């Protein structure tokens, strides 16, 4: 916004929140339900990382364009971000569930919730430092982090599936067919 984020009209914040909320309500189930197993979820997570990175680039661009263009970019970036966020949340849930050992799903879900809580606790301070203090360079760094992370998920998922231990037999099943 000509370099000063305070140039946008105050109603812009309400418009961004409204767009994000409406898209989330309308598309959360549709966009998060496409990945129910690890490999499709990993592909969705890759797509989410790249789309989220694109949203960060759009937000970074608002610092160098006139206010009227910046307001439009903020709304477009919000749409892009919301789609990426919905893909990310659906794929993340599928990965947390499908990569868990069948006898440890609760433990995996607990660790996933713990890590999400840590991100919610530390995220605002880190993002304030990165974005508010870093400006457009901070947005670019965040975009790079999201893109690299998204691209890393499919190979890491394939590796996790390849190295998954064989499931232990449940009671009533013989451990070995030879005696």
């Amino acid at each position: 916004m000509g370099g000063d984020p305070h140039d946008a009209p105050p109603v812009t914040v309400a418009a961004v929140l409204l767009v994000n909320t409406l898209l989330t309500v309308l598309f959360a189930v549709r966009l998060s339900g496409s990945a129910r197993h690890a490999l499709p979820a990993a592909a969705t997570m890759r797509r989410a990382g790249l789309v989220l990175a694109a949203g960060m680039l759009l937000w970074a661009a608002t610092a160098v364009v006139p206010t009227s263009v910046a307001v439009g970019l903020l709304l477009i970036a919000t749409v892009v971000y919301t789609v990426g966020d919905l893909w990310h949340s659906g794929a993340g849930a599928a990965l947390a569930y499908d990569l868990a050992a069948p006898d440890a799903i609760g433990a995996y879900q607990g660790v996933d919730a713990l890590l999400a809580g840590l991100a919610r606790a530390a995220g605002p301070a880190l993002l304030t430092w990165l974005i508010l203090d870093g400006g457009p360079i901070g947005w670019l760094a965040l975009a790079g982090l999201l893109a690299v992370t998204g691209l890393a998920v499919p190979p890491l998922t394939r590796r996790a599936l390849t190295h998954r231990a064989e499931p232990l037999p449940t009671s009533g099943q013989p451990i070995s067919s030879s005696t």
Side-chain angles (χ1 to χ4, degrees):
M1 290 168 272
D4 186 2
H6 299 99
D7 287 344
V11 72
T12 306
V13 174
V16 164
L17 290 173
L18 181 64
V19 167
N20 177 265
T21 301
L22 286 174
L23 290 174
T24 300
V25 168
L26 294 172
F27 296 108
V29 173
R30 189 174 302 154
L31 291 178
S32 66
S34 65
R36 298 189 190 276
H37 299 289
L39 291 176
T44 299
M45 190 67 85
R46 176 184 55 227
R47 186 171 56 242
L50 295 173
V51 168
L52 288 167
M56 301 305 111
L57 295 176
L58 288 169
W59 274 325
T62 65
V64 295
V65 297
T67 301
S68 59
V69 175
V71 170
L73 278 178
L74 285 169
L75 294 172
I76 293 167
T78 300
V79 171
V80 170
Y81 169 83
T82 303
V83 169
D85 186 45
L86 293 172
W87 279 335
H88 175 268
S89 63
L95 287 169
Y97 184 82
D98 207 35
L99 291 178
D103 61 338
I105 291 173
Y108 274 65
Q109 294 297 310
V111 169
D112 184 57
L114 174 68
L115 293 174
L118 289 173
R120 279 191 299 277
L126 292 173
L127 289 176
T128 297
W129 170 75
L130 184 65
I131 303 304
L132 293 183
D133 293 344
I137 301 292
W139 286 111
L140 296 175
L142 183 56
L145 177 65
L146 290 167
V148 167
T149 303
L151 291 170
V153 172
L156 289 172
T157 300
R158 284 190 298 275
R159 178 181 164 100
L161 290 171
T162 302
H163 291 84
R164 179 182 279 174
E166 290 296 318
L168 297 172
T170 58
S171 62
Q173 293 179 329
I175 292 177
S176 170
S177 59
S178 61
T179 52

